Amino acid sequence: MNAVVFYSSTGQSKKLATYFSDKLGYPLFDIETNYIDYYRNLVLVFPVHCQNIPNIVKAFLKKITAENLTVIATYGKMCCGNVLYEIQKNYQKNIVAGAYVPTKHSYIENDDPFFNFDKLNPIIEKIKKPSSIQLPKLYKNPLADIFPELRSRMGLKIRKNASCNGCNLCAEHCSFGAIKAGTTNGRCIRCLKCVEVCPRQALNVKIGLPLKLYLHKKKVKKLIIYV
Ligand SMILES: Cc1cc2nc3c(=O)[nH]c(=O)nc-3n(C[C@H](O)[C@H](O)[C@H](O)COP(=O)(O)O)c2cc1C
């Protein structure tokens, strides 16, 4: 079977996955509700987290086999790390195309989303006529592998405000069992899905100074495509 599978907390990767699904006519699946383990053609779309492949994506890659895999990593214009190369090296060799796509950063309000979808068309063409490629190794901060999720947790806080009525929608949507009635626990990776889904804007995000300064750094707006 052919499919587009995505992991997305704040919607950027989902938007791209929907584009690929529409253009290719492949069904679209959320990584959490996917139940298939063999694909003929698979397009996998996910965000870079702390210059790494999110654990939920690693677990998926361990489970599945794809004859032809296309990997699309969205990133918030800070640093995309080396996630596509790591996928080919550690999980799935048969990669036919890949891209690092600069998008709105989950932690920056009013940041520009990706809009130049036509630029992705060479990938669509390559998926239709697949042949394997070798992905190059890119720069990744040597410290990026040191407790990435703990660093996210320390970088910002999520606090419920008086608007919370305990509806628990945040818990229903959380991929990690990391929040209950607006209060996060140690499993939280600060992906902000809970903040996004809350209908009452009852979750406030407080970004600490070191992360604030980091997010002010010069942005990398590079779309990198491998076909
Ligand atoms: C926990 C976390 C870590 C992130 N780390 C990075 C990063 O290292 N480099 C970067 O450029 N963007 C980073 N981002 C931003 C996301 O990669 C980017 O906003 C992405 O498009 C979000 O995709 P989504 O909306 O599908 O979840 C991070 C976001 C989160 C939530």
Side-chain angles (χ1 to χ4, degrees), residues 15-24 117-118 120-121 124:
K15 220 186 298 170
L16 262 99
T18 307
Y19 178 79
F20 281 105
S21 163
D22 289 349
K23 281 275 176 178
L24 292 161
F117 286 85
D118 284 353
L120 303 173
N121 286 345
I124 308 279

Side-chain angles (χ1 to χ4, degrees), residues 7-14 47-51 74-79 103-107 152 189-191:
Y7 166 57
S8 184
S9 313
T10 54
Q12 303 300 318
S13 309
K14 185 174 180 182
V48 172
H49 278 179
C50 302
Q51 299 183 33
T74 66
Y75 74 107
K77 309 187 199 92
M78 301 308 299
C79 178
T103 52
K104 177 192 173 306
H105 198 295
S106 321
Y107 297 164
S152 299
I189 64 162
R190 307 293 192 257
C191 73

Side-chain angles (χ1 to χ4, degrees), residues 127-220:
I127 294 170
K128 289 178 183 165
K129 287 187 194 145
S131 65
S132 290
I133 57 168
Q134 207 59 44
L135 296 173
K137 196 171 180 179
L138 301 187
Y139 172 79
K140 176 180 183 179
N141 189 313
L143 304 177
D145 284 327
I146 301 172
F147 303 116
E149 293 180 350
L150 179 67
R151 283 190 288 116
S152 299
R153 255 206 306 282
M154 290 183 341
L156 66 90
K157 303 253 172 288
I158 299 171
R159 289 272 178 272
K160 68 175 168 185
N161 60 42
S163 306
C164 178
N165 66 352
C167 75
N168 226 15
L169 207 64
C170 49
E172 281 170 36
H173 282 82
C174 178
S175 313
F176 312 102
I179 189 164
K180 205 170 169 196
T183 303
T184 58
N185 60 39
R187 288 194 286 270
C188 178
I189 64 162
R190 307 293 192 257
C191 73
L192 304 194
K193 197 175 197 174
C194 53
V195 177
E196 197 83 6
V197 299
C198 178
R200 303 171 72 90
Q201 285 82 48
L203 294 168
N204 297 340
V205 175
K206 190 166 185 302
I207 300 182
L209 187 61
L211 181 56
K212 243 185 213 161
L213 293 174
Y214 172 72
L215 292 172
H216 265 95
K217 269 178 45 175
K218 194 165 173 280
K219 303 293 179 285
V220 187

Side-chain angles (χ1 to χ4, degrees), residues 80-86 100 135-141 224 226:
C80 58
N82 192 28
V83 295
L84 302 187
Y85 175 87
E86 287 172 358
Y100 289 103
L135 296 173
K137 196 171 180 179
L138 301 187
Y139 172 79
K140 176 180 183 179
N141 189 313
I224 307 173
Y226 303 109

